[in-house]
Amino acid sequence: MTGYSDRINHAFAFAAKHHDQQVRKGTRLPYLTHPANVAIILTRYGCSEDTVVAGILHDVVEDCVRDNMTRDMLEERIGHKFGAGVLATVIMVTPRKIDDDGIELSSDEKKHDYLERLSLANTDALWVCAADKVHNANSILSDLRRTSFPETVWGRFSMGKDGTVAWYRRVADRLREVGFTAPIVAELEEAAAALETA
C-alpha cells in the first residue's frame, strides 16, 4: 500500500472538520489522532476500505452534535458522502444516549446497551469496536508508562482503574460471545491484562 485512497483521505478531512478543537481526554493531543490510529489498526489487519472509513468516522456522531448540527443531520451527511454501509457501521458503534422508548440512559445503562447491541452489529462494526478499544487501552498504557504518577492517568476516568480495565475485558468477552474471534480480540485482551498490572 502506497497511501490511503481519496475516499479515506476525504473521511479524514470530514473527521478533522467535525473534531476540530477537540483533544484526547487528559492530553493536548488533537482528537483526530484517535480515529487516525483506529484507521492504522484496521489497515494493519487488512480490513476493507468501508471498514477503515467507518473507523475514521466512528466518533463523529457521538462527539460532534454541535454548532447547529443535529444527530440526524450528521447521519444524513455521512450516508450521503460515504454510503449507507459506512453509516450503518458508524451507527452500530455509536453509544446511544436514549433507548427505544425515548428514555435517557445512565452511564452504566449506556455501556450495557452498547454491549447488548453488539449482537446486532455487522462484521465491520465489530472490527471498528475492537480497533477503537485497542487504541484507547494502549493509549492509556502508553500514558502510564510515561508518568511517575499513575493516579493522574486513572483520574481521567470516572470508573477509575478497576472499572476501566473491567470495561475493556467486558468488551473483549462480548466480542467473543457474539462470535467475533479475529486476532484483534486477543490484542484487546492483552492490552487489558497489561493495564491491570500497570
Side-chain angles (χ1 to χ4, degrees), residues 7-126:
R7 187 161 172 259
I8 289 174
N9 284 322
H10 183 194
F12 277 126
F14 186 90
K17 174 183 176 181
H18 289 283
H19 289 300
D20 183 40
Q21 299 185 27
Q22 294 177 357
V23 295
R24 294 280 284 161
K25 187 183 288 187
T27 76
R28 294 180 184 172
L29 285 172
Y31 193 84
L32 191 64
T33 60
H34 173 58
N37 276 282
V38 169
I40 290 168
I41 292 165
L42 293 168
T43 301
R44 175 164 48 91
Y45 278 102
C47 291
S48 71
E49 183 177 85
D50 270 4
T51 310
V52 174
V53 168
I56 294 165
L57 302 175
H58 78 276
D59 278 336
V60 169
V61 173
E62 181 181 7
D63 294 343
C64 304
V65 177
R66 57 186 168 85
D67 301 333
N68 301 319
M69 181 69 69
T70 67
R71 180 178 174 137
D72 288 344
M73 290 164 67
L74 266 178
E75 289 179 2
E76 183 180 344
R77 290 192 72 203
I78 291 169
H80 176 72
K81 289 178 179 291
F82 302 102
V86 167
L87 175 60
T89 298
V90 169
I91 290 171
M92 286 176 198
V93 296
T94 299
R96 297 193 308 170
K97 294 181 180 176
I98 58 171
D99 67 13
D100 293 330
D101 299 319
I103 298 169
E104 191 169 340
L105 298 169
S106 69
S107 180
D108 285 344
E109 288 168 339
K110 283 180 197 171
K111 288 180 171 52
H112 178 76
D113 180 69
Y114 180 88
L115 294 175
E116 285 297 308
R117 287 171 54 231
L118 289 179
S119 66
L120 306 173
N122 62 29
T123 302
D124 287 354
L126 298 175

